[in-house]
Amino acid sequence: MIDNGQNSLVQMPPGIERKVWAPRAYAIDQDAQTSTELAEYPGTEGVFSQFCGSTYEDAKSNYLVDYAYTPTDSGQRAEILGYDASGAEAFDYMYVTGGGARLITR
């Protein structure tokens, strides 16, 4: 899942608010109604994406993370990251969105 850093607008206590997003993996125990964090994927501490972020598990412990809307000083961009089963970053693609896309290397 994507932890967007936003505290709750309806739950009490609302929790803390952070300025960055973090992709995280959790184990859910439905019977006990608890969750346990299994992993947090680093490398996106400077990314802020108020809308449209997702995490997908495409194979066991292989994750694709996307930030579809990331405002920057020079406009908007999207970023797609891949993590392998060891948690290592496999790739990081960024591209400008709106007004013609172009690949940005990191």
Side-chain angles (χ1 to χ4, degrees):
M1 73 175 260
I2 292 282
D3 173 357
N4 70 357
Q6 179 66 49
N7 62 353
S8 176
L9 301 176
V10 296
Q11 302 294 322
M12 289 298 162
I16 61 169
E17 184 172 348
R18 292 175 307 286
K19 300 292 184 200
V20 296
W21 281 37
R24 301 174 194 270
Y26 289 92
I28 307 295
D29 182 334
Q30 293 182 343
D31 293 332
Q33 298 184 355
T34 60
S35 64
T36 303
E37 185 175 324
L38 302 175
E40 177 180 344
Y41 295 93
T44 59
E45 291 85 4
V47 175
F48 173 76
S49 182
Q50 187 175 7
F51 306 104
C52 302
S54 300
T55 302
Y56 304 93
E57 184 176 29
D58 68 343
K60 182 146 178 67
S61 299
N62 289 311
Y63 294 96
L64 178 70
V65 178
D66 78 275
Y67 301 98
Y69 176 80
T70 306
T72 67
D73 291 340
S74 58
Q76 300 173 56
R77 72 173 190 209
E79 186 168 1
I80 301 172
L81 299 100
Y83 295 94
D84 66 18
S86 73
E89 185 179 288
F91 60 85
D92 182 353
Y93 297 111
M94 288 184 277
Y95 56 94
V96 174
T97 58
R102 64 183 172 83
L103 183 65
I104 303 170
T105 58
R106 185 184 227 188

